[in-house]
C-alpha cells in the first residue's frame, strides 16, 4: 500500500485521512488517484470493501480545494442509502474546506432539495431518478460547469434491471458539459465494460485489481443444502448459534422479495431476535431510521432485499446469510461483500435448495472460489422445524390481514404513472405478452413431442426391419 503524499495529495488531505485511520493507500487508490489528479477519465474495478469511495473522493477534494466553486462534482449512485454514505465521506474528508454537499434522492422532500440545489453546493450526490425529475421540472440550478461526473456502482446504473436508470441518465447527461472528467467505479465493472466506455469520453485510464478470485480472501464462503421447507429452521438455528456465541456480531440476511423480508422479520421477532428490515416498500424515512439503528447495533440483525446489497459499509457485520441463492453471480459478489471489508474477516452462508445447485456452480465459476459446506447439527434443526414453520405461517396470515399486497399494487401503479405509462394498458399488454409466451411454450412442447414420436416410430420400424432380416437369414 502506498503513501498518500507521494500520490500527489496535499498535506491537509493526508492529515484528514490520518484522523480517520486511513494511513496507506489501498491498491485501487494507489493506482487510480494519480490518473484522476492528472485529469484523466478513470474506470476502477476492485473487490468489495477495498476503498473505492476514497479513491474518487480524495482527488475530487484535492482539485476542488485548488479551484472551489459549485456545482463542481456530481456523483450518481443506484440506492438512496448509498448516496447518504458517499455524501458523508465527502463531508468528513472535506471538512477543512468547508465543503457544501447536497443529497438528491427519491422519497425525500423535493422542495427542500430544489432549494439546496439552487444554493450551488460543491458536490451533489444523487440517485438518477430524482435528479432527472429536478432537471425536468426546474431551472434554478445549472450543471453546465461540473468538472467531475462519478458513477459509483457504475455497472448497476447502466444495466437494465428491475430499476432501469437509462432514461434518467440520458436526461442527466444531456445537461452536463462535454468537457469533464468521468470516473466509473464498481466491484463488477468488467461485465458491462463496453456500455461504460461509451460514457467515459476521453480514452479512460482503466484499472482492475489483479486477482484470480473476485471475492476477498478474508471471507469464509459457505453453503447449506436444504429442502425449501426446512430453510427457515436452518435460519433460526444459525442465528441462535451466532447470537449465543458472539455478543458483538451483526448479521445481514438477504432475501428475494419485500414480502419475504417482512415475513422473516416478523418471524425472527417472534423468536425474540433483535431484527429490523430494509426494503423498497418501506417509507424512505423508515429505511434511513432502520439502517441507522442497525449501524448503531441497536438491532443486530438486518433483513434486506438487494436494495442493501451494494456499497453499504458497516464494519460490525460479521455474517451475511443468503436466504435465497442469488440468481446472478454479480449479485452474490455484492451481497457477500457486505462483510469482510477493509481487511476484516467475515462469513457468508448461502442456503441452497436442490433447485439452486446450478446457480451455485455458476457463482463458483465466476468468483473462482469453491463454496464449502457449513457444518450444522441437523438433529437440532429438526427439533425446531415444526415450531418455526408454524410461526412462519402465523406471520404470513398476520401479514395477509394487513394491506401489504394492496400497497404493493398501488406502488406499482404509481411507478408506471411516473414513467408516463397507463397502468391499465400496461396490465393488458403484460397479459397479452404472457398469453403469447404460453402459446409459444405450448407450441415448442408440441414440436418436441412430435419429434420424439417420429424418432420413436423410426426406431420401431428399424427394429422391425432388423427382426425381419434376421428371420429371413435364419430360414436361408
Ligand atoms: N486506505 C485505506 N486504509 C484503511 N481503510 C480504508 C482505506 N480506504 C478506505 N478505507 C475504509 O475501507 C472501508 C471500505 O471502503 P469503501 O466503502 O470505499 O469500499 P468499496 O471498495 O467502495 O466497497 P463496495 O464495492 O462494497 O462499495 C471504509 O470503511 C473505508 O473508510
Amino acid at each position: 500500500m502506498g503513501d498518500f503524499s507521494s500520490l500527489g495529495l496535499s498535506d491537509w488531505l493526508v492529515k484528514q485521512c490520518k484522523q480517520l485511520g486511513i494511513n496507506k493507500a489501498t491498491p485501487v487508490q494507489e493506482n487510480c488517484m494519480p490518473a484522476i489528479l492528472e485529469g484523466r477519465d478513470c474506470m476502477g474495478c476492485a473487490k468489495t470493501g477495498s476503498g473505492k469511495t476514497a479513491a474518487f473522493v480524495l482527488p475530487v477534494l484535492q482539485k476542488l480545494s485548488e479551484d472551489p466553486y459549485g456545482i463542481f462534482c456530481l456523483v450518481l449512485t443506484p440506492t438512496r442509502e448509498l448516496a447518504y454514505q458517499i455524501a458523508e465521506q465527502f463531508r468528513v474528508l472535506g471538512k477543512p474546506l468547508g465543503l457544501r454537499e447536497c443529497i438528491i434522492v427519491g422519497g425525500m422532500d423535493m422542495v427542500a432539495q430544489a432549494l439546496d440545489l439552487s444554493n450551488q453546493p460543491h458536490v451533489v450526490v444523487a440517485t438518477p431518478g430524482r435528479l432527472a425529475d429536478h432537471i425536468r421540472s426546474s431551472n434554478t440550478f445549472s450543471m453546465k460547469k461540473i468538472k467531475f461526473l462519478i458513477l459509483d456502482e457504475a455497472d448497476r446504473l447502466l444495466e437494465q434491471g428491475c430499476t432501469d436508470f437509462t432514461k434518467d441518465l440520458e436526461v442527466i447527461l444531456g445537461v452536463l458539459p462535454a468537457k469533464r472528467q468521468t470516473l466509473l467505479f464498481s466491484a463488477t465493472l468488467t461485465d458491462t465494460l463496453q456500455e461504460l466506455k461509451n460514457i467515459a469520453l476521453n480514452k479512460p485510464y482503466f484499472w482492475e485489481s489483479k486477482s484470480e478470485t473476485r471475492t476477498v480472501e478474508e471471507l469464509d464462503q459457505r453453503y447449506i443444502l436444504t429442502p425449501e421447507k426446512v430453510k427457515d429452521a436452518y435460519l433460526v438455528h444459525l442465528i441462535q448459534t451466532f447470537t449465543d456465541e458472539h455478543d458483538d456480531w451483526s448479521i445481514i440476511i438477504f432475501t428475494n422479495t419485500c414480502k419475504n423480508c417482512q415475513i422473516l422479520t416478523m418471524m425472527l421477532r417472534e423468536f425474540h431476535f433483535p431484527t429490523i428490515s430494509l426494503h423498497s416498500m418501506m417509507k424512505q424515512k423508515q429505511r434511513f431510521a432502520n439502517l441507522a439503528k442497525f449501524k448503531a447495533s441497536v438491532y443486530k440483525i438486518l433483513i434486506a432485499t438487494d436494495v442493501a446489497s451494494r456499497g453499504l459499509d458497516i464494519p460490525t457485520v460479521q455474517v451475511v446469510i443468503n436466504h435465497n441463492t442469488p440468481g446472478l453471480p454479480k449479485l452474490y459478489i455484492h451481497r457477500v461483500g457486505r462483510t469482510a471489508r477493509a481487511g476484516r474477516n467475515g462469513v457468508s452462508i448461502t442456503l441452497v435448495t436442490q433447485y439452486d445447485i446450478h446457480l451455485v456452480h455458476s457463482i463458483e465459476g465466476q468468483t473462482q472460489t469453491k463454496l464449502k459446506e457449513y457444518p450444522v447439527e441437523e438433529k437440532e434443526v429438526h427439533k425446531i422445524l415444526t415450531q418455526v414453520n408454524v410461526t412462519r405461517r402465523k406471520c404470513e396470515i398476520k401479514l395477509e390481514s394487513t394491506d401489504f399486497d394492496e400497497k404493493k399494487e398501488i406502488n406499482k401503479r404509481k411507478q408506471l404513472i411516473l414513467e408516463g405509462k397507463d397502468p391499465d394498458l400496461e396490465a393488458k399488454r403484460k397479459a397479452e405478452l404472457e398469453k403469447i409466451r404460453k402459446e409459444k411454450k405450448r407450441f415448442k412442447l408440441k414440436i418436441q413431442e412430435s419429434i420424439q414420436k417420429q424418432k420413436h416410430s423410426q426406431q420401431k420400424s428399424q427394429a422391425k426391419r432388423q427382426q425381419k432380416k434376421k428371420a429371413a437369414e435364419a430360414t436361408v
Side-chain angles (χ1 to χ4, degrees):
M1 291 209 270
D3 193 308
F4 279 116
S5 339
S6 65
L7 298 175
L9 286 189
S10 300
D11 288 348
W12 71 271
L13 258 178
V14 178
K15 202 169 139 202
Q16 203 62 8
C17 286
K18 275 208 176 109
Q19 282 187 357
L20 292 175
I22 299 180
N23 298 314
K24 293 254 178 250
T26 61
V28 65
Q29 295 163 357
E30 191 174 12
N31 286 280
C32 293
M33 282 186 355
I36 301 171
L37 288 169
E38 258 174 42
R40 293 187 63 180
D41 283 353
C42 174
M43 300 170 79
C45 182
K47 292 179 187 179
T48 50
S50 61
K52 292 186 286 296
T53 319
F56 62 78
V57 170
L58 291 170
V60 167
L61 289 174
Q62 167 86 33
K63 290 284 179 188
L64 179 70
S65 70
E66 291 163 10
D67 179 18
Y69 67 85
I71 300 173
F72 185 81
C73 168
L74 168 63
V75 185
L76 295 175
T77 182
T79 68
R80 301 163 182 182
E81 286 74 14
L82 201 46
Y84 275 75
Q85 190 179 292
I86 295 168
E88 191 185 30
Q89 284 238 16
F90 268 107
R91 193 180 318 127
V92 175
L93 286 166
K95 189 139 198 293
L97 276 186
L99 181 91
R100 279 181 295 113
E101 84 290 336
C102 120
I103 304 165
I104 305 294
V105 297
M108 302 302 275
D109 184 5
M110 206 153 160
V111 180
Q113 289 177 354
L115 203 69
D116 283 350
L117 280 169
S118 66
N119 283 334
Q120 302 201 319
H122 298 119
V123 175
V124 174
V125 187
T127 48
R130 179 53 70 89
L131 182 63
D133 283 348
H134 279 284
I135 293 170
R136 287 187 197 104
S137 65
S138 135
N139 55 2
T140 53
F141 67 100
S142 164
M143 296 210 160
K144 270 270 160 286
K145 288 190 183 152
I146 67 145
K147 194 142 192 144
F148 284 99
L149 166 67
I150 299 159
L151 268 60
D152 190 33
E153 308 293 345
D155 55 326
R156 175 66 194 92
L157 288 171
L158 292 175
E159 79 193 0
Q160 289 161 350
C162 53
T163 316
D164 187 349
F165 298 109
T166 42
K167 280 212 179 90
D168 296 322
L169 282 179
E170 261 173 42
V171 173
I172 296 166
L173 291 174
V175 298
L176 301 184
K179 191 170 176 294
R180 62 167 194 256
Q181 256 179 277
T182 307
L183 317 178
L184 312 176
F185 283 90
S186 176
T188 48
L189 211 52
T190 32
D191 302 351
T192 35
L193 212 55
Q194 203 42 53
E195 290 98 311
L196 294 166
K197 276 189 176 154
N198 295 339
I199 288 232
L201 302 168
N202 317 309
K203 284 192 187 152
Y205 169 79
F206 177 68
W207 188 81
E208 185 179 17
S209 58
K210 296 258 171 302
S211 168
E212 281 180 6
T213 59
R214 293 181 75 187
T215 43
V216 296
E217 272 165 29
E218 294 82 0
L219 177 66
D220 183 9
Q221 300 179 63
R222 303 286 182 144
Y223 73 89
I224 294 174
L225 193 61
T226 161
E228 184 71 41
K229 57 179 187 230
V230 192
K231 231 184 195 185
D232 292 334
Y234 271 107
L235 182 70
V236 171
H237 174 74
L238 281 176
I239 294 173
Q240 188 65 62
T241 320
F242 285 134
T243 46
D244 285 350
E245 289 171 5
H246 308 274
D247 281 342
D248 54 344
W249 278 21
S250 293
I251 302 171
I252 298 185
I253 300 161
F254 283 106
T255 183
N256 52 353
T257 64
C258 299
K259 192 169 177 177
N260 226 354
C261 205
Q262 201 71 19
I263 291 168
L264 287 177
T265 306
M266 290 162 77
M267 187 187 85
L268 292 187
R269 282 185 175 178
E270 290 285 323
F271 287 98
H272 305 291
F273 294 124
T275 312
I276 208 153
S277 53
L278 182 64
H279 58 75
S280 61
M281 274 189 67
M282 289 162 56
K283 290 231 160 69
Q284 191 52 45
K285 284 204 173 134
Q286 191 67 55
R287 272 166 67 166
F288 286 138
N290 284 8
L291 188 60
K293 284 178 198 160
F294 179 66
K295 276 186 172 176
S297 288
V298 178
Y299 288 84
K300 295 279 190 189
I301 300 160
L302 177 76
I303 307 201
T305 55
D306 282 301
V307 77
S309 65
R310 281 186 182 246
L312 292 185
D313 182 53
I314 307 165
T316 49
V317 176
Q318 290 276 358
V319 185
V320 168
I321 299 176
N322 285 317
H323 185 260
N324 72 306
T325 311
L328 294 171
K330 192 199 266 209
L331 215 57
Y332 173 87
I333 292 171
H334 288 282
R335 278 185 179 190
V336 298
R338 293 318 99 212
T339 185
R341 299 177 66 75
R344 292 183 198 88
N345 291 322
V347 190
S348 70
I349 302 167
T350 302
L351 298 174
V352 182
T353 70
Q354 68 268 38
Y355 308 109
D356 307 323
I357 292 170
H358 66 289
L359 298 176
V360 175
H361 290 152
S362 107
I363 288 167
E364 289 179 334
Q366 286 264 327
T367 56
Q368 291 295 302
T369 315
K370 203 110 190 99
L371 270 59
K372 284 187 268 176
E373 187 160 13
Y374 190 82
V376 182
E377 291 251 11
E378 283 187 27
K379 259 199 307 194
E380 297 302 312
V381 177
H382 282 276
K383 269 188 207 164
I384 57 169
L385 180 61
T386 313
Q387 191 197 359
V388 171
N389 284 351
V390 169
T391 312
R392 181 181 174 115
R393 188 66 201 125
K394 260 202 239 160
C395 295
E396 282 172 351
I397 293 168
K398 205 165 159 191
L399 192 68
E400 273 158 26
S401 70
T402 68
D403 55 357
F404 193 84
D405 285 325
E406 216 174 288
K407 262 193 205 153
K408 193 174 171 188
E409 205 42 51
I410 294 171
N411 279 354
K412 259 194 209 161
R413 290 177 73 88
K414 268 192 205 161
Q415 187 56 37
L416 287 169
I417 293 168
L418 282 175
E419 287 169 16
K421 296 174 186 158
D422 178 332
D424 294 323
L425 268 181
E426 279 301 308
K428 214 168 144 191
R429 202 179 60 87
K430 245 188 173 174
E432 271 164 16
L433 278 176
E434 184 61 16
K435 209 170 138 190
I436 296 172
R437 209 180 55 80
K438 275 190 182 153
E439 277 295 309
K440 266 189 179 169
K441 205 173 166 188
R442 216 161 52 92
F443 188 62
K444 209 170 152 187
L445 276 176
K446 234 177 161 178
I447 292 181
Q448 272 170 354
E449 262 174 34
S450 66
I451 293 175
Q452 210 62 34
K453 262 188 197 162
Q454 216 175 355
K455 259 190 191 166
H456 197 65
S457 71
Q458 271 172 359
Q459 279 166 350
K460 244 178 157 178
S461 47
Q462 200 178 355
K464 260 188 193 166
R465 273 202 302 274
Q466 270 173 351
Q467 251 178 357
K468 264 187 193 169
K469 204 175 156 191
K470 269 187 192 161
E473 279 168 3
T475 47
V476 170

